[in-house]
Amino acid sequence: MEFCEEVWQALSTQNIKKLPPTQEIVAECVNGFHRRGFPQCLGAIDGCHIEIKPNTTDATDYYNYKGWYSVVLLALVDYRYRFLYINIGAPGRCNHSHIYNPSLLKKVLTED
């Protein structure tokens, strides 16, 4: 929670874009990646594990394949490393596809 609070304090004054992105934002991102040698790319997506100390009742859900307890941060960034989407809090045992498949990001990318 301390990490989340710090991120919120640091970013709360920034102009955070909402989903779905506008056509202008999509075009800017695709063109930016194209200039860097990645044609037809909207963003780069990856996840990372943030170590936690879970309640004993929830511990098995948060035990990850690396051998420790965590929550997963899954993020999509644009060609300038600006966040386009952030999902944080999934239990550490979840892989990225288990987080992405039910996400708003997937819904927006497949429906819009």
Side-chain angles (χ1 to χ4, degrees), residues 7 11 19 73-76 83-88:
V7 169
L11 297 177
L19 291 177
L73 179 145
L74 186 72
L76 175 73
F83 288 102
L84 297 173
Y85 175 82
I86 300 170
N87 181 312
I88 186 166

Side-chain angles (χ1 to χ4, degrees), residues 5-90:
E5 181 63 29
E6 290 299 319
V7 169
W8 175 252
Q9 290 301 322
L11 297 177
S12 64
T13 59
Q14 302 295 318
N15 181 16
I16 299 188
K17 297 172 179 69
K18 304 286 186 201
L19 291 177
T22 64
Q23 289 295 334
E24 293 81 19
I25 292 171
V26 170
E28 176 191 349
C29 291
V30 171
N31 290 334
F33 274 109
H34 183 77
R35 288 191 305 272
R36 285 161 178 74
F38 299 97
Q40 300 180 9
C41 182
L42 171 64
I45 189 169
D46 198 9
C48 69
H49 289 264
I50 300 171
E51 189 171 3
I52 63 163
K53 294 180 183 175
N55 296 329
T56 54
T57 57
D58 300 326
T60 56
D61 290 338
Y62 293 90
Y63 194 74
N64 65 38
Y65 69 95
K66 297 178 179 195
W68 39 280
Y69 299 101
S70 66
V71 293
V72 180
L73 179 145
L74 186 72
L76 175 73
V77 296
D78 70 6
Y79 69 102
R80 290 174 42 190
Y81 312 110
R82 297 176 298 185
F83 288 102
L84 297 173
Y85 175 82
I86 300 170
N87 181 312
I88 186 166

